[in-house]
Amino acid sequence: QVQLVESGGGLMQPGGSLRLSCVASGSIFSFDAMGWYRQAPGNPRELVADLTRGGFTRYVDSVKGRFTISRDGDKNAMYLQMNNLKAEDTAVYYCHAALVSRDYWGQGTQVTVSS
């Protein structure tokens, strides 16, 4: 059973930075892709950024230039470095992994951006 465990969320002022971590129960290179989604109250869950096994990345337009997705195979971990945070980044952030036709999700970590 694949397990994804997120950490690193919290409360941050606008303009600040946070780094989210997602640790997988197995090798992250076993997945076709991994990524970060977020869901704000009243909104659908949206893709923030993802990273394929081959290293291709993509970002939602609203975070380009501010967020960076990365991984560390030795630690079975994926990260989301979030800089210049804005109030509209407030959401629950979920780690996601895809393998063939199956999707795996973490439990989510709350990110709140407020002064």
Side-chain angles (χ1 to χ4, degrees):
Q1 181 70 16
V2 173
Q3 289 187 320
L4 303 172
V5 180
E6 303 105 331
S7 62
L11 173 64
M12 180 55 63
Q13 293 183 341
S17 297
L18 285 173
R19 189 176 83 151
L20 304 183
S21 300
C22 172
V23 178
S25 55
S27 171
I28 59 172
F29 293 108
S30 66
F31 301 115
D32 299 321
M34 295 186 72
W36 292 95
Y37 285 71
R38 66 186 179 187
Q39 187 167 21
N43 290 349
R45 191 173 296 189
E46 67 167 352
L47 173 68
V48 176
D50 64 6
L51 174 61
T52 67
R53 183 188 293 119
F56 179 77
T57 61
R58 59 177 178 170
Y59 298 88
V60 67
D61 286 346
S62 61
V63 308
K64 287 179 179 177
R66 300 189 298 121
F67 291 10
T68 303
I69 190 170
S70 63
R71 64 190 174 191
D72 185 335
D74 291 339
K75 297 180 178 179
N76 291 332
M78 177 183 65
Y79 306 101
L80 186 68
Q81 178 66 41
M82 305 186 294
N83 298 328
N84 190 21
L85 283 162
K86 303 177 180 181
E88 51 264 41
D89 296 320
T90 295
V92 177
Y93 284 70
Y94 297 91
C95 176
H96 170 262
L99 177 59
V100 191
S101 60
R102 297 199 65 176
D103 293 293
Y104 302 93
W105 296 92
Q107 81 285 358
T109 185
Q110 176 71 46
V111 172
T112 302
V113 184
S114 175
S115 56

